[in-house]
Amino acid sequence: MRIDFKKARFVTSAPSLSSRPKDSIPEILIVGRSNVGKSSLINALTGQKLAFKSKKAGKTKLLNYFLIDSRFYLVDSPGYGSTSFATMSTIQFSSMMEAYAGFPLLKGIVLLLDLRRDLGADDVRFIAYLESFGIPMLPIVTKADTYNQAMRHQAELRAEKLGLERPLFSDLSDKSLFQIRGAIASIL
């Protein structure tokens, strides 16, 4: 399936899945810790500044729907983990994710990981929870432009320990973006 990621537009922000666009267009959900690079990846994939980038973690609080080539929504979710907004946002984030369990239009999950560090118990639990959805999950290691060969190998080992097979590495280069676009298309 050929998808033109450059044909992208912001559609809406929704506080919950029940407020999503009223259509039957499939979705790919992007999840990851706060400040892992979700907005940067969306902007790079589409070649546009569609998603708001902030240096301060935890700014995204809603589900942001981006329509790609009139074929699917790329849904930017709030980041999980510790931020200055943690208490209420954590409750809202949990509700958002619970609503996605069993949602028929959700076709895949893009899980962004910064594997320059070991993942904590909350990361491991969250990944196991996402796997329980029973849909394809695409792990992507972000900020790969900062990795040398040894760091890349360590990241692959960390991903393997989590049961994540062959993550893609994103350095936002044309080559890595081509691979990510292809992997998303194959999920759809």
Side-chain angles (χ1 to χ4, degrees), residues 101-127:
F103 181 60
L105 294 176
L106 181 63
K107 301 304 179 191
I109 298 170
V110 174
L111 173 64
L112 301 188
L113 301 162
D114 181 352
L115 290 179
R116 294 176 294 181
R117 61 174 182 80
D118 285 322
L119 299 181
D122 58 338
D123 296 293
V124 174
R125 282 191 301 270
F126 184 61
I127 291 167

Side-chain angles (χ1 to χ4, degrees), residues 27-164:
E27 298 180 13
I28 299 289
L29 180 66
I30 297 183
V31 297
R33 273 199 167 279
S34 295
N35 223 21
V36 75
K38 294 183 296 296
S39 297
S40 295
L41 182 61
I42 290 168
N43 291 341
L45 287 171
T46 63
Q48 302 175 48
K49 290 186 179 181
L50 292 176
F52 177 72
K53 291 181 358 182
S54 174
K55 291 184 193 245
K56 192 169 185 178
K59 287 290 189 178
T60 302
K61 293 183 177 53
L62 302 170
L63 296 167
N64 295 306
Y65 288 80
F66 301 94
L67 184 60
I68 310 297
D69 201 12
S70 299
R71 293 176 181 233
F72 75 98
Y73 288 112
L74 199 53
V75 183
D76 184 15
S77 72
Y80 71 92
S82 301
T83 72
S84 58
F85 307 104
T87 318
M88 192 50 136
S89 294
T90 300
I91 294 166
Q92 291 168 336
F93 178 77
S94 296
S95 297
M96 286 175 188
M97 292 304 107
E98 287 172 14
Y100 266 111
F103 181 60
L105 294 176
L106 181 63
K107 301 304 179 191
I109 298 170
V110 174
L111 173 64
L112 301 188
L113 301 162
D114 181 352
L115 290 179
R116 294 176 294 181
R117 61 174 182 80
D118 285 322
L119 299 181
D122 58 338
D123 296 293
V124 174
R125 282 191 301 270
F126 184 61
I127 291 167
Y129 176 68
L130 293 175
E131 287 174 336
S132 75
F133 286 21
I135 60 170
M137 187 161 46
L138 174 62
I140 298 176
V141 178
T142 60
K143 305 177 184 183
D145 53 320
T146 65
Y147 286 56
N148 60 30
Q149 197 64 26
M151 290 171 73
R152 188 180 181 105
H153 179 69
Q154 286 301 315
E156 288 171 341
L157 293 176
R158 286 185 183 116
E160 191 176 297
K161 279 185 194 175
L162 294 167
L164 301 171

